Amino acid sequence: MSEWKAKRFWKEAQVVEAEGGFAVELDGRPVRTPLKSAMTLPSRAMAEAVAAEWDAQEGEIKPVSMPVTRAANAAIDKVTRQHGEVAEMLAAYGDSDLLCYRADSPQELVERQAEAWDPLLDWADATFGARLIPVEGLMHAPQNPRALERLAAPVHAMDAFRLTAFHDLVGISGSLVIGLAAIHEVKDIGTLWRLSRIDETWQEEQWGIDEDARAQAAMKESDFYAAKRFHDLAHAA
């Protein structure tokens, strides 16, 4: 982890071709992950983004300002080693998907949820043959196992970099379907973020804004956008 604690010691970060992809070098020295693995990236675009983050550092290295680098580290050091477990954990969100748990009142909220979420459930059914059934209330209602299997298949098929991005898209939104809609670009990422916040927006309209909650939401929104960018970089040219 010394790499993260050091101060800037290099003059220039450069992208180079590497076996299996691209790498970033700092004055000719390859960047490695915290576990000292080779940071081999799947696309030149991702490598350029990582290099830009290193070049932007002044003085002490600040990982918080390096979201692409941090996500790449996670993909290599964590997700690659636990791919099956991570995919299974994310696929399990389908059985308690945010989009399936609806209010029974007031009618305006009921209608708002249906208008926002029903088209996404319809899309999942049309695309994957997986019909999830919405219920009223917060009590868990198991979904059709066959539908869950069909939604799990594309998750398990993701490589480690895409799965790393998908982890945040699903975890932050609370919805497997929203995560899948994001990577399939069913709607733009800003719209999907707002659709994931229907309940919170309703509460703000009724009771006013809680500044602490809004600050936390802003951090989550930033991470949600960053996850989509990382996914796009993973398969960019």
Side-chain angles (χ1 to χ4, degrees):
M1 296 292 287
S2 59
E3 194 171 60
W4 290 111
K5 298 176 183 178
K7 294 183 178 180
R8 178 164 181 155
F9 58 85
W10 65 96
K11 293 182 179 180
E12 184 181 16
Q14 294 182 317
V15 174
V16 297
E17 292 188 7
E19 184 177 355
F22 299 86
V24 175
E25 292 183 348
L26 307 178
D27 295 343
R29 299 172 58 180
V31 173
R32 292 188 175 275
T33 71
L35 294 184
K36 305 304 181 184
S37 301
M39 183 181 280
T40 303
L41 304 167
S43 72
R44 179 175 289 277
M46 180 176 288
E48 289 174 347
V50 169
E53 289 180 346
W54 284 90
D55 262 341
Q57 299 302 300
E58 296 181 1
E60 185 177 347
I61 299 169
K62 298 179 180 178
V64 70
S65 67
M66 306 170 76
V68 181
T69 302
R70 287 188 290 113
N73 285 336
I76 296 167
D77 281 352
K78 297 179 180 180
V79 177
T80 296
R81 301 163 189 254
Q82 306 174 66
H83 187 282
E85 293 91 332
V86 174
E88 189 64 31
M89 177 189 70
L90 296 175
Y93 272 78
D95 197 40
S96 57
D97 199 286
L98 168 75
L99 307 188
C100 293
Y101 290 84
R102 309 291 180 87
D104 56 9
S105 65
Q107 188 60 29
E108 182 180 348
L109 177 58
V110 172
E111 293 174 356
R112 188 180 299 187
Q113 289 175 337
E115 182 180 359
W117 294 345
D118 285 355
L120 290 174
L121 295 180
D122 292 341
W123 169 80
D125 187 23
T127 304
F128 303 106
R131 169 56 68 179
L132 298 183
I133 306 301
V135 297
E136 292 183 353
L138 299 177
M139 292 293 294
H140 178 248
Q143 297 288 338
N144 185 307
R146 183 57 179 153
L148 297 178
E149 289 176 6
R150 289 173 174 168
L151 291 176
V155 181
H156 283 274
M158 295 177 190
D159 63 38
F161 287 87
R162 291 178 175 85
L163 194 61
T164 298
F166 195 66
H167 177 278
D168 283 355
L169 290 170
V170 173
I172 293 171
S173 68
S175 171
L176 176 62
V177 174
I178 285 180
L180 290 168
I183 65 174
H184 284 267
E185 299 189 332
V186 175
K187 296 181 182 294
D188 67 85
I189 195 66
T191 297
L192 290 171
W193 168 253
R194 289 189 291 275
L195 293 180
S196 76
R197 303 284 299 176
I198 294 293
D199 290 346
E200 290 81 359
T201 301
W202 173 265
Q203 290 297 325
E204 285 188 352
E205 291 173 0
Q206 307 312 306
W207 306 107
I209 295 172
D210 181 302
E211 294 300 336
D212 289 339
R214 172 156 286 194
Q216 291 178 3
M219 293 177 61
K220 290 181 179 179
E221 181 178 10
S222 178
D223 290 344
F224 191 69
Y225 279 65
K228 177 58 164 61
R229 180 184 179 224
F230 188 74
H231 178 272
D232 293 347
L233 289 171
H235 59 87

